[in-house]
Amino acid sequence: MTQARKVHIVGAGMAGLACAVRCIELGLEVSISEGAPQAGGRCRSFDDATMGTVIDNGNHLILGANPAIFTHLRSIGAEGALTPLDPARFPFMDMASGKRWTVRPGMGRLPWWLLVPGRSVPGASLADYAAVLRLLRAPTSARLADYVNTSSAMYARFWEPFALGVMNTEAPAASAHLIGRVLRETLLKGGAASRPYFAEAGLGPALVEPAVAFLKAKGASVAFSRRLRALEMSGDRVSRLAFADQDVEVADDETVVLAVPSWEAGSLIPGLIVPTETRPIVNGHFRIEGDFELPDAAPFVGVIGGTAHWLFRRGPIVSATVSAAVELAEKSADDIAALIWRDIAGAIGRPSAPLPVHRIIKERRATIAQTPAEDARRPPAATRWRNLRLAGDWTQTGLPATIEGAVRSGHLAAEMAANSAGR
Ligand SMILES: Cc1cc2nc3c(=O)[nH]c(=O)nc-3n(C[C@H](O)[C@H](O)[C@H](O)COP(=O)(O)OP(=O)(O)OC[C@H]3O[C@@H](n4cnc5c(N)ncnc54)[C@H](O)[C@@H]3O)c2cc1C
């Protein structure tokens, strides 16, 4: 029996985990090393003493049109870990006017529902939908503001929340090309593709812990608190990995997959061009006593004209997300909590004081900035070293920096490792 070829994966976020799982499926030997004490990276859960429960670092919206995520779940035996919202819908509330509406995608493949009052965005005109068609053909150099009227109702009620949520970048400057790609894969593909899914037990129990369990059960080496400090190159390949605790030789037929964030890859690989601008996301988690409902009895709601952009509910916890929160992230946790609670209190009909038990989490480098200029700096999976591959949401996946992009990048790196075995 020939021995399985080995793949050294550095980083156990969604990209590294998906890569490791796919490598096992492809019959490769896997060693995965994670610098933090736990897996998950920017998509993780932890037991929070203040909140008295497991919370996620931040809300993550997953859609039906995320095929790689669902493939990953099937591979790790966690198919049922995400719950679909039935019927598919996107409720919104406007904090300034008090207006509430719900976008209800139809279930067919054609987006006929966009033209149906009561299902679509209130105040949208045919000119707005014509802009959608133009945007679908936007070149990689274009910004959203080049395609849509930023003073229209459609912008305030759809484009801005959509672009902030998907791109984590100020909407006018966000890449029109990437937004067009997401629209094509989600809302314009019909209801099944745009259906939101939620990890009711948390991101860790749904996406991360079953992956780690799968890898261990399949004999992969999984190491935490094991930080890569340097890569040593010999000629056209990586020959040694210098971890904080030990050096590991990389044999000629072995592959290294670097699945760390962009800034880390940029400092580990000499001369690698990576995106340099990032954007923060701020999340505020609040424990609510007694009965309450978010608008339309949904597990989430989009907020217009407030501090929060989205509110998510999991049991007694309401969590607010503020994307591209460049200024907010500079404020104190107390100030942020007061601002966010105003929105939650408005949504569920509670007084603005006192504040319930809460926890503010600032992810200062939540994703890369998804402007045309930064998108152009995203490198492909292949590097100039024949046995070194890159994975991560920030690599050139053709998608925004999301879990789906991270998982696809991990799958691609695994397939390249299987096909080349270091050559
Ligand atoms: C608050 C928040 C909300 C988000 N919302 C959404 C959403 O709604 N939908 C969505 O799809 N995406 C969302 N995202 C983005 C999503 O979380 C990321 O795209 C995805 O988790 C990135 O995975 P990754 O594996 O590429 O990177 P990471 O998760 O950053 O994983 C990289 C791993 O490498 C490790 N590492 C770093 N350096 C080293 C080293 N030197 N040695 C060893 N290990 C190292 C890190 O500890 C980390 O575990 C959100 C992100 C945040 C922060």
Side-chain angles (χ1 to χ4, degrees):
M1 200 172 88
T2 54
Q3 204 178 350
R5 296 171 316 218
K6 188 166 186 174
V7 181
H8 303 264
I9 300 167
V10 182
M14 287 307 303
L17 290 172
C19 179
V21 168
R22 178 55 60 88
C23 282
I24 294 282
E25 290 177 331
L26 292 169
L28 300 167
E29 184 187 342
V30 167
S31 163
I32 182 165
S33 305
E34 164 59 48
Q38 69 174 97
R42 283 171 280 149
C43 171
R44 64 185 185 282
S45 306
F46 55 96
D47 205 347
D48 186 81
T50 313
M51 301 299 294
T53 186
V54 171
I55 58 172
D56 296 334
N57 62 322
N59 302 311
H60 281 62
L61 187 60
I62 292 167
L63 297 177
N66 289 158
I69 297 179
F70 289 97
T71 300
H72 174 74
L73 287 171
R74 275 192 299 278
S75 294
I76 60 177
E79 291 92 334
L82 297 180
T83 308
L85 179 58
D86 197 15
R89 59 197 191 278
F90 294 82
F92 285 93
M93 53 182 284
D94 185 327
M95 296 305 293
S97 65
K99 188 173 170 64
R100 295 180 179 202
W101 67 96
T102 298
V103 174
R104 298 175 194 277
M107 289 316 290
R109 281 189 65 82
L110 288 176
W112 54 268
W113 54 271
L114 281 172
L115 301 171
V116 179
R119 290 198 81 123
S120 185
V121 182
S125 66
L126 279 177
D128 289 320
Y129 293 123
V132 174
L133 294 179
R134 285 197 305 277
L135 185 116
L136 293 177
R137 294 189 300 274
T140 51
S141 56
R143 303 167 315 141
L144 181 63
D146 300 333
Y147 284 81
V148 305
N149 173 2
T150 54
S151 31
S152 63
M154 177 79 163
Y155 178 79
R157 293 177 179 165
F158 176 73
W159 289 116
E160 190 169 37
F162 184 74
L164 282 168
V166 171
M167 306 284 282
N168 188 32
T169 301
E170 320 69 70
S175 159
H177 177 77
L178 287 176
I179 293 173
R181 174 82 189 263
V182 176
L183 277 177
R184 206 179 289 122
E185 289 203 9
T186 59
L187 286 175
L188 300 183
K189 246 189 180 171
S194 16
R195 185 186 293 286
Y197 282 75
F198 299 93
E200 291 193 336
L203 297 167
L207 296 164
V208 176
E209 287 151 28
V212 173
F214 170 91
L215 292 172
K216 288 183 173 165
K218 298 289 179 183
S221 151
V222 184
F224 296 116
S225 303
R226 189 160 194 245
R227 187 170 191 77
L228 182 70
R229 286 206 313 226
L231 297 131
E232 199 175 297
M233 316 300 193
S234 300
D236 64 352
R237 69 181 196 89
V238 181
S239 54
R240 188 192 301 259
L241 298 173
F243 289 100
D245 57 346
Q246 65 169 144
D247 284 5
V248 172
E249 297 293 326
V250 179
D252 195 55
D253 67 345
E254 294 178 353
T255 301
V256 175
V257 177
L258 204 55
V260 299
S262 50
W263 55 91
E264 197 69 20
S267 70
L268 284 165
I269 305 178
L272 182 72
I273 293 177
V274 297
T276 49
E277 280 185 41
T278 55
R279 292 290 183 271
I281 297 181
V282 171
N283 270 263
H285 304 271
F286 292 76
R287 176 178 273 282
I288 318 284
E289 302 298 333
D291 291 339
F292 69 92
E293 295 267 32
L294 289 180
D296 204 11
F300 78 134
V301 59
V303 180
I304 311 294
T307 299
H309 295 142
W310 296 92
L311 306 180
F312 285 66
R313 173 183 191 171
R314 212 166 80 219
I317 309 290
V318 174
S319 305
T321 297
V322 189
S323 299
V326 176
E327 285 166 22
L328 190 73
E330 297 308 317
K331 295 187 188 297
S332 71
D334 285 350
D335 288 350
I336 295 172
L339 286 166
I340 288 179
W341 175 247
R342 269 213 304 251
D343 294 345
I344 299 177
I348 64 172
R350 293 291 171 96
S352 55
L355 268 63
V357 171
H358 59 269
R359 172 80 190 259
I360 302 297
I361 300 178
K362 299 177 185 177
E363 286 275 4
R364 291 193 180 272
R365 295 191 282 195
T367 65
I368 55 170
Q370 305 188 69
T371 59
E374 290 300 285
D375 187 44
R377 297 176 66 86
R378 295 167 75 180
T383 69
R384 70 186 180 85
W385 290 278
R386 66 176 162 82
N387 65 343
L388 177 60
R389 312 291 180 212
L390 303 174
D393 63 348
W394 56 277
T395 56
Q396 194 47 266
T397 61
L399 292 176
T402 51
I403 303 179
E404 175 69 14
V407 172
R408 285 192 202 180
S409 77
H411 288 167
L412 174 64
E415 277 142 27
M416 290 170 89
N419 289 336
S420 67
R423 263 156 231 289

